[in-house]
Amino acid sequence: MPSSVLAFIIALVIVLLITPVIIKFAIKTGAMDAPDKRKVHRQPIPRLGGLGIYISFLIAVVFISLTTDITAGHINELLGLLIGGTFIVIVGIIDDYTNLPAKIKLIGQIAAACILVSFDVRIDFLSNPFGDWIFLEYLSLPFTVFWIVGLTNTVNLIDGLDGLAAGVSTIASITLLLVAYQQGDMFTVFITAALVGSALGFLKYNFNPARIFMGDTGSMFLGFILAGVSIIGAVKSATTIALIVPILALGLPILDTAFAIIRRYRGGVPIFKPDKGHLHHRLLDLGFTQRQAVLLMYVFSCFLGVSAIALTQVNEYVGIIILVFIISVIIYGAKKIGIFHPKNNLHA
């Protein structure tokens, strides 16, 4: 059996087995997500589910690493992912129990990103649509940290409906897996396969009506690993623009975050203030049920994932045309559902 398939199965089975235990543990220890006027659930829900995602991913990756040679030549990157990922999980667990201030949580995210960079996982160059290379040189470190922290937060911010962050992360992981497979990067295929197993298995307990939330423990871990994989993998040398593939793979949470910044700025609201103008809030306001809204956002994520894969198969000029079309559709759709309207800046 291929190592990547085995990693997927191990992660899937373990998260299915341990999540019920974590539900009981979260309830017993008080890791509960209380309802408020900005959230859509109406009763306290355990929110330590990300611990199951982390444990299942960790066991699958370590087991395959010790029993096969798939990580040969990638030990440094693997250690960076696991140590940095463990650090971000610790920050997430603390936040799920105590609701850390945003600044403290950001410091923790930056520290985790620096851990990954210290293992020489960094963005050293970019390519442009015309085939030239842009070497970042002294900007490599801050750019890489910004990338990791940014993606960590985008997944964290989209975790607002049952099954949304887990499903979108699963789709993004599959996208990166397929692109890496096309390019023969089996290490990235292995890591993303384990991530798919962990996130997909967690959906059994997290899809509406959710029995448990992943909390910041899960959303930050998923975002962090996806950010790291997008740097490590062959995606970095894609034939279009180096970071376009992972940007599209995680297009939904990235767009939601970008729209929130634009909306709050236009409305004169501090950027870090929460509101009810996120994509999922707007879909609920338009009359969609939780399940319908989540499934619709899955479909859009799949569309962006397929677009990302397609971009690796076309020349630069066709790729630009595809990107322009996607951007036009996104802007039109965002305006139609009122995503930029200042009235949606309702504080929590």
Side-chain angles (χ1 to χ4, degrees), residues 257-290:
T257 302
F259 289 158
I261 293 172
I262 296 170
R263 183 177 65 252
R264 292 167 190 173
Y265 176 79
R266 291 181 60 190
V269 176
I271 289 175
F272 294 104
K273 281 285 186 180
D275 61 32
K276 294 190 68 173
H278 289 281
L279 291 170
H280 54 273
H281 289 127
R282 295 301 304 135
L283 291 175
L284 294 177
D285 289 343
L286 290 172
F288 290 92
T289 65
Q290 270 210 62

PDB file of all heavy atoms in Angstrom, residues 257-290:
ATOM      1  N   THR A 257     -11.329  36.934   4.486  1.00  0.00           N
ATOM      2  CA  THR A 257     -10.494  37.824   5.285  1.00  0.00           C
ATOM      3  C   THR A 257     -10.266  39.155   4.572  1.00  0.00           C
ATOM      4  O   THR A 257     -10.369  40.230   5.182  1.00  0.00           O
ATOM      5  CB  THR A 257      -9.132  37.159   5.580  1.00  0.00           C
ATOM      6  OG1 THR A 257      -9.354  35.919   6.259  1.00  0.00           O
ATOM      7  CG2 THR A 257      -8.264  38.052   6.440  1.00  0.00           C
ATOM      8  N   ALA A 258      -9.969  39.106   3.266  1.00  0.00           N
ATOM      9  CA  ALA A 258      -9.745  40.324   2.498  1.00  0.00           C
ATOM     10  C   ALA A 258     -10.999  41.192   2.463  1.00  0.00           C
ATOM     11  O   ALA A 258     -10.938  42.421   2.637  1.00  0.00           O
ATOM     12  CB  ALA A 258      -9.303  39.972   1.079  1.00  0.00           C
ATOM     13  N   PHE A 259     -12.154  40.559   2.240  1.00  0.00           N
ATOM     14  CA  PHE A 259     -13.404  41.307   2.212  1.00  0.00           C
ATOM     15  C   PHE A 259     -13.691  41.965   3.564  1.00  0.00           C
ATOM     16  O   PHE A 259     -14.196  43.083   3.632  1.00  0.00           O
ATOM     17  CB  PHE A 259     -14.568  40.382   1.845  1.00  0.00           C
ATOM     18  CG  PHE A 259     -14.556  39.925   0.410  1.00  0.00           C
ATOM     19  CD1 PHE A 259     -15.235  38.777   0.030  1.00  0.00           C
ATOM     20  CD2 PHE A 259     -13.873  40.630  -0.560  1.00  0.00           C
ATOM     21  CE1 PHE A 259     -15.244  38.346  -1.283  1.00  0.00           C
ATOM     22  CE2 PHE A 259     -13.855  40.220  -1.885  1.00  0.00           C
ATOM     23  CZ  PHE A 259     -14.545  39.070  -2.251  1.00  0.00           C
ATOM     24  N   ALA A 260     -13.371  41.252   4.640  1.00  0.00           N
ATOM     25  CA  ALA A 260     -13.609  41.801   5.976  1.00  0.00           C
ATOM     26  C   ALA A 260     -12.764  43.052   6.206  1.00  0.00           C
ATOM     27  O   ALA A 260     -13.250  44.053   6.755  1.00  0.00           O
ATOM     28  CB  ALA A 260     -13.301  40.741   7.039  1.00  0.00           C
ATOM     29  N   ILE A 261     -11.500  42.995   5.783  1.00  0.00           N
ATOM     30  CA  ILE A 261     -10.617  44.155   5.938  1.00  0.00           C
ATOM     31  C   ILE A 261     -11.140  45.348   5.142  1.00  0.00           C
ATOM     32  O   ILE A 261     -11.214  46.471   5.651  1.00  0.00           O
ATOM     33  CB  ILE A 261      -9.185  43.796   5.498  1.00  0.00           C
ATOM     34  CG1 ILE A 261      -8.582  42.770   6.465  1.00  0.00           C
ATOM     35  CG2 ILE A 261      -8.307  45.040   5.424  1.00  0.00           C
ATOM     36  CD1 ILE A 261      -7.255  42.208   6.018  1.00  0.00           C
ATOM     37  N   ILE A 262     -11.517  45.103   3.885  1.00  0.00           N
ATOM     38  CA  ILE A 262     -12.037  46.178   3.035  1.00  0.00           C
ATOM     39  C   ILE A 262     -13.329  46.745   3.619  1.00  0.00           C
ATOM     40  O   ILE A 262     -13.514  47.965   3.703  1.00  0.00           O
ATOM     41  CB  ILE A 262     -12.287  45.663   1.602  1.00  0.00           C
ATOM     42  CG1 ILE A 262     -10.966  45.250   0.948  1.00  0.00           C
ATOM     43  CG2 ILE A 262     -13.001  46.723   0.763  1.00  0.00           C
ATOM     44  CD1 ILE A 262     -11.137  44.520  -0.371  1.00  0.00           C
ATOM     45  N   ARG A 263     -14.229  45.856   4.027  1.00  0.00           N
ATOM     46  CA  ARG A 263     -15.525  46.277   4.558  1.00  0.00           C
ATOM     47  C   ARG A 263     -15.363  47.124   5.823  1.00  0.00           C
ATOM     48  O   ARG A 263     -16.004  48.167   5.975  1.00  0.00           O
ATOM     49  CB  ARG A 263     -16.361  45.036   4.848  1.00  0.00           C
ATOM     50  CG  ARG A 263     -17.771  45.300   5.353  1.00  0.00           C
ATOM     51  CD  ARG A 263     -18.536  44.002   5.537  1.00  0.00           C
ATOM     52  NE  ARG A 263     -17.977  43.136   6.570  1.00  0.00           N
ATOM     53  CZ  ARG A 263     -17.333  42.011   6.320  1.00  0.00           C
ATOM     54  NH1 ARG A 263     -17.131  41.605   5.083  1.00  0.00           N
ATOM     55  NH2 ARG A 263     -16.866  41.279   7.321  1.00  0.00           N
ATOM     56  N   ARG A 264     -14.517  46.677   6.718  1.00  0.00           N
ATOM     57  CA  ARG A 264     -14.339  47.397   7.979  1.00  0.00           C
ATOM     58  C   ARG A 264     -13.636  48.730   7.759  1.00  0.00           C
ATOM     59  O   ARG A 264     -13.965  49.732   8.401  1.00  0.00           O
ATOM     60  CB  ARG A 264     -13.562  46.517   8.960  1.00  0.00           C
ATOM     61  CG  ARG A 264     -14.358  45.304   9.401  1.00  0.00           C
ATOM     62  CD  ARG A 264     -13.518  44.263  10.113  1.00  0.00           C
ATOM     63  NE  ARG A 264     -14.282  43.024  10.307  1.00  0.00           N
ATOM     64  CZ  ARG A 264     -13.768  41.902  10.770  1.00  0.00           C
ATOM     65  NH1 ARG A 264     -12.480  41.842  11.094  1.00  0.00           N
ATOM     66  NH2 ARG A 264     -14.525  40.826  10.911  1.00  0.00           N
ATOM     67  N   TYR A 265     -12.685  48.754   6.840  1.00  0.00           N
ATOM     68  CA  TYR A 265     -11.993  50.007   6.536  1.00  0.00           C
ATOM     69  C   TYR A 265     -12.966  51.028   5.949  1.00  0.00           C
ATOM     70  O   TYR A 265     -12.990  52.196   6.363  1.00  0.00           O
ATOM     71  CB  TYR A 265     -10.855  49.740   5.556  1.00  0.00           C
ATOM     72  CG  TYR A 265     -10.133  50.999   5.113  1.00  0.00           C
ATOM     73  CD1 TYR A 265      -9.190  51.608   5.936  1.00  0.00           C
ATOM     74  CD2 TYR A 265     -10.407  51.590   3.872  1.00  0.00           C
ATOM     75  CE1 TYR A 265      -8.540  52.764   5.542  1.00  0.00           C
ATOM     76  CE2 TYR A 265      -9.763  52.732   3.469  1.00  0.00           C
ATOM     77  CZ  TYR A 265      -8.828  53.325   4.305  1.00  0.00           C
ATOM     78  OH  TYR A 265      -8.197  54.471   3.909  1.00  0.00           O
ATOM     79  N   ARG A 266     -13.791  50.596   5.004  1.00  0.00           N
ATOM     80  CA  ARG A 266     -14.765  51.496   4.384  1.00  0.00           C
ATOM     81  C   ARG A 266     -15.818  51.962   5.381  1.00  0.00           C
ATOM     82  O   ARG A 266     -16.346  53.072   5.268  1.00  0.00           O
ATOM     83  CB  ARG A 266     -15.452  50.803   3.209  1.00  0.00           C
ATOM     84  CG  ARG A 266     -14.547  50.559   2.016  1.00  0.00           C
ATOM     85  CD  ARG A 266     -15.311  49.899   0.888  1.00  0.00           C
ATOM     86  NE  ARG A 266     -16.423  50.726   0.446  1.00  0.00           N
ATOM     87  CZ  ARG A 266     -17.366  50.322  -0.393  1.00  0.00           C
ATOM     88  NH1 ARG A 266     -17.328  49.081  -0.860  1.00  0.00           N
ATOM     89  NH2 ARG A 266     -18.329  51.125  -0.761  1.00  0.00           N
ATOM     90  N   GLY A 267     -16.116  51.110   6.368  1.00  0.00           N
ATOM     91  CA  GLY A 267     -17.126  51.468   7.360  1.00  0.00           C
ATOM     92  C   GLY A 267     -16.558  52.209   8.550  1.00  0.00           C
ATOM     93  O   GLY A 267     -17.302  52.529   9.489  1.00  0.00           O
ATOM     94  N   GLY A 268     -15.248  52.487   8.535  1.00  0.00           N
ATOM     95  CA  GLY A 268     -14.642  53.213   9.645  1.00  0.00           C
ATOM     96  C   GLY A 268     -14.557  52.385  10.917  1.00  0.00           C
ATOM     97  O   GLY A 268     -14.558  52.921  12.021  1.00  0.00           O
ATOM     98  N   VAL A 269     -14.483  51.069  10.755  1.00  0.00           N
ATOM     99  CA  VAL A 269     -14.451  50.154  11.894  1.00  0.00           C
ATOM    100  C   VAL A 269     -13.036  49.571  12.011  1.00  0.00           C
ATOM    101  O   VAL A 269     -12.423  49.250  10.997  1.00  0.00           O
ATOM    102  CB  VAL A 269     -15.481  49.010  11.701  1.00  0.00           C
ATOM    103  CG1 VAL A 269     -15.380  48.005  12.834  1.00  0.00           C
ATOM    104  CG2 VAL A 269     -16.879  49.585  11.602  1.00  0.00           C
ATOM    105  N   PRO A 270     -12.507  49.444  13.237  1.00  0.00           N
ATOM    106  CA  PRO A 270     -11.190  48.815  13.397  1.00  0.00           C
ATOM    107  C   PRO A 270     -11.144  47.452  12.714  1.00  0.00           C
ATOM    108  O   PRO A 270     -12.089  46.663  12.812  1.00  0.00           O
ATOM    109  CB  PRO A 270     -11.045  48.688  14.917  1.00  0.00           C
ATOM    110  CG  PRO A 270     -11.876  49.801  15.463  1.00  0.00           C
ATOM    111  CD  PRO A 270     -13.051  49.921  14.527  1.00  0.00           C
ATOM    112  N   ILE A 271     -10.041  47.182  12.022  1.00  0.00           N
ATOM    113  CA  ILE A 271      -9.929  45.973  11.207  1.00  0.00           C
ATOM    114  C   ILE A 271     -10.099  44.704  12.036  1.00  0.00           C
ATOM    115  O   ILE A 271     -10.651  43.714  11.557  1.00  0.00           O
ATOM    116  CB  ILE A 271      -8.568  45.968  10.471  1.00  0.00           C
ATOM    117  CG1 ILE A 271      -8.573  47.030   9.374  1.00  0.00           C
ATOM    118  CG2 ILE A 271      -8.275  44.601   9.872  1.00  0.00           C
ATOM    119  CD1 ILE A 271      -7.256  47.189   8.659  1.00  0.00           C
ATOM    120  N   PHE A 272      -9.655  44.717  13.287  1.00  0.00           N
ATOM    121  CA  PHE A 272      -9.697  43.506  14.099  1.00  0.00           C
ATOM    122  C   PHE A 272     -11.006  43.337  14.866  1.00  0.00           C
ATOM    123  O   PHE A 272     -11.166  42.378  15.614  1.00  0.00           O
ATOM    124  CB  PHE A 272      -8.517  43.484  15.080  1.00  0.00           C
ATOM    125  CG  PHE A 272      -7.181  43.360  14.397  1.00  0.00           C
ATOM    126  CD1 PHE A 272      -6.354  44.463  14.272  1.00  0.00           C
ATOM    127  CD2 PHE A 272      -6.772  42.153  13.860  1.00  0.00           C
ATOM    128  CE1 PHE A 272      -5.128  44.359  13.631  1.00  0.00           C
ATOM    129  CE2 PHE A 272      -5.541  42.035  13.224  1.00  0.00           C
ATOM    130  CZ  PHE A 272      -4.719  43.142  13.103  1.00  0.00           C
ATOM    131  N   LYS A 273     -11.944  44.260  14.681  1.00  0.00           N
ATOM    132  CA  LYS A 273     -13.245  44.132  15.338  1.00  0.00           C
ATOM    133  C   LYS A 273     -14.094  43.094  14.603  1.00  0.00           C
ATOM    134  O   LYS A 273     -14.270  43.177  13.394  1.00  0.00           O
ATOM    135  CB  LYS A 273     -13.971  45.484  15.325  1.00  0.00           C
ATOM    136  CG  LYS A 273     -13.503  46.474  16.378  1.00  0.00           C
ATOM    137  CD  LYS A 273     -14.029  46.083  17.749  1.00  0.00           C
ATOM    138  CE  LYS A 273     -13.693  47.159  18.771  1.00  0.00           C
ATOM    139  NZ  LYS A 273     -14.193  46.819  20.117  1.00  0.00           N
ATOM    140  N   PRO A 274     -14.657  42.128  15.316  1.00  0.00           N
ATOM    141  CA  PRO A 274     -15.508  41.128  14.653  1.00  0.00           C
ATOM    142  C   PRO A 274     -16.815  41.742  14.198  1.00  0.00           C
ATOM    143  O   PRO A 274     -17.279  42.746  14.756  1.00  0.00           O
ATOM    144  CB  PRO A 274     -15.731  40.079  15.750  1.00  0.00           C
ATOM    145  CG  PRO A 274     -15.569  40.830  17.032  1.00  0.00           C
ATOM    146  CD  PRO A 274     -14.515  41.869  16.757  1.00  0.00           C
ATOM    147  N   ASP A 275     -17.416  41.162  13.165  1.00  0.00           N
ATOM    148  CA  ASP A 275     -18.707  41.644  12.684  1.00  0.00           C
ATOM    149  C   ASP A 275     -19.529  40.483  12.143  1.00  0.00           C
ATOM    150  O   ASP A 275     -19.107  39.334  12.212  1.00  0.00           O
ATOM    151  CB  ASP A 275     -18.522  42.736  11.612  1.00  0.00           C
ATOM    152  CG  ASP A 275     -17.772  42.244  10.386  1.00  0.00           C
ATOM    153  OD1 ASP A 275     -17.895  41.047  10.041  1.00  0.00           O
ATOM    154  OD2 ASP A 275     -17.058  43.044   9.746  1.00  0.00           O
ATOM    155  N   LYS A 276     -20.688  40.804  11.610  1.00  0.00           N
ATOM    156  CA  LYS A 276     -21.557  39.775  11.037  1.00  0.00           C
ATOM    157  C   LYS A 276     -21.649  39.939   9.529  1.00  0.00           C
ATOM    158  O   LYS A 276     -22.694  39.722   8.937  1.00  0.00           O
ATOM    159  CB  LYS A 276     -22.950  39.829  11.676  1.00  0.00           C
ATOM    160  CG  LYS A 276     -22.970  39.462  13.145  1.00  0.00           C
ATOM    161  CD  LYS A 276     -24.387  39.301  13.675  1.00  0.00           C
ATOM    162  CE  LYS A 276     -25.078  38.100  13.079  1.00  0.00           C
ATOM    163  NZ  LYS A 276     -26.400  37.836  13.704  1.00  0.00           N
ATOM    164  N   GLY A 277     -20.547  40.320   8.911  1.00  0.00           N
ATOM    165  CA  GLY A 277     -20.534  40.510   7.472  1.00  0.00           C
ATOM    166  C   GLY A 277     -19.740  39.462   6.719  1.00  0.00           C
ATOM    167  O   GLY A 277     -19.505  39.614   5.516  1.00  0.00           O
ATOM    168  N   HIS A 278     -19.299  38.414   7.411  1.00  0.00           N
ATOM    169  CA  HIS A 278     -18.546  37.355   6.732  1.00  0.00           C
ATOM    170  C   HIS A 278     -19.421  36.653   5.693  1.00  0.00           C
ATOM    171  O   HIS A 278     -20.651  36.754   5.713  1.00  0.00           O
ATOM    172  CB  HIS A 278     -18.017  36.343   7.751  1.00  0.00           C
ATOM    173  CG  HIS A 278     -16.898  36.883   8.595  1.00  0.00           C
ATOM    174  ND1 HIS A 278     -15.599  36.971   8.137  1.00  0.00           N
ATOM    175  CD2 HIS A 278     -16.887  37.371   9.853  1.00  0.00           C
ATOM    176  CE1 HIS A 278     -14.837  37.471   9.087  1.00  0.00           C
ATOM    177  NE2 HIS A 278     -15.595  37.735  10.141  1.00  0.00           N
ATOM    178  N   LEU A 279     -18.776  35.926   4.802  1.00  0.00           N
ATOM    179  CA  LEU A 279     -19.496  35.250   3.723  1.00  0.00           C
ATOM    180  C   LEU A 279     -20.612  34.365   4.262  1.00  0.00           C
ATOM    181  O   LEU A 279     -21.726  34.370   3.745  1.00  0.00           O
ATOM    182  CB  LEU A 279     -18.515  34.416   2.885  1.00  0.00           C
ATOM    183  CG  LEU A 279     -17.499  35.192   2.039  1.00  0.00           C
ATOM    184  CD1 LEU A 279     -16.453  34.238   1.478  1.00  0.00           C
ATOM    185  CD2 LEU A 279     -18.184  35.943   0.920  1.00  0.00           C
ATOM    186  N   HIS A 280     -20.310  33.610   5.290  1.00  0.00           N
ATOM    187  CA  HIS A 280     -21.329  32.703   5.811  1.00  0.00           C
ATOM    188  C   HIS A 280     -22.486  33.467   6.465  1.00  0.00           C
ATOM    189  O   HIS A 280     -23.638  33.047   6.393  1.00  0.00           O
ATOM    190  CB  HIS A 280     -20.722  31.686   6.789  1.00  0.00           C
ATOM    191  CG  HIS A 280     -19.943  32.271   7.917  1.00  0.00           C
ATOM    192  ND1 HIS A 280     -18.607  32.570   7.825  1.00  0.00           N
ATOM    193  CD2 HIS A 280     -20.312  32.604   9.181  1.00  0.00           C
ATOM    194  CE1 HIS A 280     -18.176  33.046   8.973  1.00  0.00           C
ATOM    195  NE2 HIS A 280     -19.199  33.086   9.825  1.00  0.00           N
ATOM    196  N   HIS A 281     -22.186  34.604   7.102  1.00  0.00           N
ATOM    197  CA  HIS A 281     -23.262  35.426   7.670  1.00  0.00           C
ATOM    198  C   HIS A 281     -24.181  35.954   6.566  1.00  0.00           C
ATOM    199  O   HIS A 281     -25.415  35.967   6.708  1.00  0.00           O
ATOM    200  CB  HIS A 281     -22.677  36.612   8.449  1.00  0.00           C
ATOM    201  CG  HIS A 281     -22.017  36.226   9.734  1.00  0.00           C
ATOM    202  ND1 HIS A 281     -20.733  36.595  10.047  1.00  0.00           N
ATOM    203  CD2 HIS A 281     -22.467  35.500  10.792  1.00  0.00           C
ATOM    204  CE1 HIS A 281     -20.418  36.122  11.240  1.00  0.00           C
ATOM    205  NE2 HIS A 281     -21.456  35.451  11.709  1.00  0.00           N
ATOM    206  N   ARG A 282     -23.576  36.391   5.472  1.00  0.00           N
ATOM    207  CA  ARG A 282     -24.377  36.950   4.375  1.00  0.00           C
ATOM    208  C   ARG A 282     -25.265  35.875   3.753  1.00  0.00           C
ATOM    209  O   ARG A 282     -26.418  36.133   3.412  1.00  0.00           O
ATOM    210  CB  ARG A 282     -23.455  37.544   3.296  1.00  0.00           C
ATOM    211  CG  ARG A 282     -22.645  38.740   3.751  1.00  0.00           C
ATOM    212  CD  ARG A 282     -23.528  39.891   4.230  1.00  0.00           C
ATOM    213  NE  ARG A 282     -24.481  40.273   3.196  1.00  0.00           N
ATOM    214  CZ  ARG A 282     -25.769  40.505   3.421  1.00  0.00           C
ATOM    215  NH1 ARG A 282     -26.278  40.364   4.621  1.00  0.00           N
ATOM    216  NH2 ARG A 282     -26.553  40.865   2.420  1.00  0.00           N
ATOM    217  N   LEU A 283     -24.733  34.666   3.605  1.00  0.00           N
ATOM    218  CA  LEU A 283     -25.543  33.586   3.035  1.00  0.00           C
ATOM    219  C   LEU A 283     -26.704  33.227   3.956  1.00  0.00           C
ATOM    220  O   LEU A 283     -27.819  32.961   3.498  1.00  0.00           O
ATOM    221  CB  LEU A 283     -24.671  32.357   2.780  1.00  0.00           C
ATOM    222  CG  LEU A 283     -23.629  32.504   1.652  1.00  0.00           C
ATOM    223  CD1 LEU A 283     -22.750  31.269   1.566  1.00  0.00           C
ATOM    224  CD2 LEU A 283     -24.316  32.756   0.309  1.00  0.00           C
ATOM    225  N   LEU A 284     -26.462  33.231   5.259  1.00  0.00           N
ATOM    226  CA  LEU A 284     -27.544  32.979   6.202  1.00  0.00           C
ATOM    227  C   LEU A 284     -28.591  34.090   6.136  1.00  0.00           C
ATOM    228  O   LEU A 284     -29.801  33.828   6.193  1.00  0.00           O
ATOM    229  CB  LEU A 284     -26.991  32.867   7.638  1.00  0.00           C
ATOM    230  CG  LEU A 284     -26.085  31.665   7.919  1.00  0.00           C
ATOM    231  CD1 LEU A 284     -25.557  31.735   9.350  1.00  0.00           C
ATOM    232  CD2 LEU A 284     -26.822  30.351   7.696  1.00  0.00           C
ATOM    233  N   ASP A 285     -28.148  35.340   5.998  1.00  0.00           N
ATOM    234  CA  ASP A 285     -29.074  36.469   5.889  1.00  0.00           C
ATOM    235  C   ASP A 285     -29.930  36.383   4.623  1.00  0.00           C
ATOM    236  O   ASP A 285     -31.055  36.889   4.588  1.00  0.00           O
ATOM    237  CB  ASP A 285     -28.305  37.796   5.884  1.00  0.00           C
ATOM    238  CG  ASP A 285     -27.701  38.131   7.241  1.00  0.00           C
ATOM    239  OD1 ASP A 285     -28.144  37.508   8.238  1.00  0.00           O
ATOM    240  OD2 ASP A 285     -26.795  38.975   7.305  1.00  0.00           O
ATOM    241  N   LEU A 286     -29.372  35.743   3.586  1.00  0.00           N
ATOM    242  CA  LEU A 286     -30.118  35.594   2.330  1.00  0.00           C
ATOM    243  C   LEU A 286     -31.110  34.433   2.374  1.00  0.00           C
ATOM    244  O   LEU A 286     -31.806  34.180   1.388  1.00  0.00           O
ATOM    245  CB  LEU A 286     -29.131  35.388   1.169  1.00  0.00           C
ATOM    246  CG  LEU A 286     -28.286  36.612   0.799  1.00  0.00           C
ATOM    247  CD1 LEU A 286     -27.216  36.239  -0.219  1.00  0.00           C
ATOM    248  CD2 LEU A 286     -29.167  37.729   0.242  1.00  0.00           C
ATOM    249  N   GLY A 287     -31.151  33.731   3.494  1.00  0.00           N
ATOM    250  CA  GLY A 287     -32.152  32.681   3.652  1.00  0.00           C
ATOM    251  C   GLY A 287     -31.641  31.259   3.563  1.00  0.00           C
ATOM    252  O   GLY A 287     -32.420  30.306   3.677  1.00  0.00           O
ATOM    253  N   PHE A 288     -30.335  31.081   3.366  1.00  0.00           N
ATOM    254  CA  PHE A 288     -29.781  29.735   3.316  1.00  0.00           C
ATOM    255  C   PHE A 288     -29.718  29.140   4.727  1.00  0.00           C
ATOM    256  O   PHE A 288     -29.487  29.860   5.704  1.00  0.00           O
ATOM    257  CB  PHE A 288     -28.370  29.749   2.722  1.00  0.00           C
ATOM    258  CG  PHE A 288     -28.314  30.050   1.256  1.00  0.00           C
ATOM    259  CD1 PHE A 288     -28.156  31.352   0.798  1.00  0.00           C
ATOM    260  CD2 PHE A 288     -28.418  29.026   0.328  1.00  0.00           C
ATOM    261  CE1 PHE A 288     -28.099  31.627  -0.554  1.00  0.00           C
ATOM    262  CE2 PHE A 288     -28.362  29.290  -1.032  1.00  0.00           C
ATOM    263  CZ  PHE A 288     -28.211  30.597  -1.477  1.00  0.00           C
ATOM    264  N   THR A 289     -29.917  27.837   4.824  1.00  0.00           N
ATOM    265  CA  THR A 289     -29.695  27.161   6.098  1.00  0.00           C
ATOM    266  C   THR A 289     -28.195  26.975   6.296  1.00  0.00           C
ATOM    267  O   THR A 289     -27.401  27.179   5.365  1.00  0.00           O
ATOM    268  CB  THR A 289     -30.370  25.780   6.118  1.00  0.00           C
ATOM    269  OG1 THR A 289     -29.739  24.936   5.146  1.00  0.00           O
ATOM    270  CG2 THR A 289     -31.866  25.900   5.800  1.00  0.00           C
ATOM    271  N   GLN A 290     -27.806  26.567   7.506  1.00  0.00           N
ATOM    272  CA  GLN A 290     -26.383  26.318   7.762  1.00  0.00           C
ATOM    273  C   GLN A 290     -25.812  25.305   6.783  1.00  0.00           C
ATOM    274  O   GLN A 290     -24.750  25.518   6.192  1.00  0.00           O
ATOM    275  CB  GLN A 290     -26.182  25.816   9.190  1.00  0.00           C
ATOM    276  CG  GLN A 290     -25.945  26.887  10.228  1.00  0.00           C
ATOM    277  CD  GLN A 290     -25.081  26.381  11.373  1.00  0.00           C
ATOM    278  OE1 GLN A 290     -23.927  26.003  11.180  1.00  0.00           O
ATOM    279  NE2 GLN A 290     -25.640  26.386  12.565  1.00  0.00           N
TER     280      GLN A 290
END
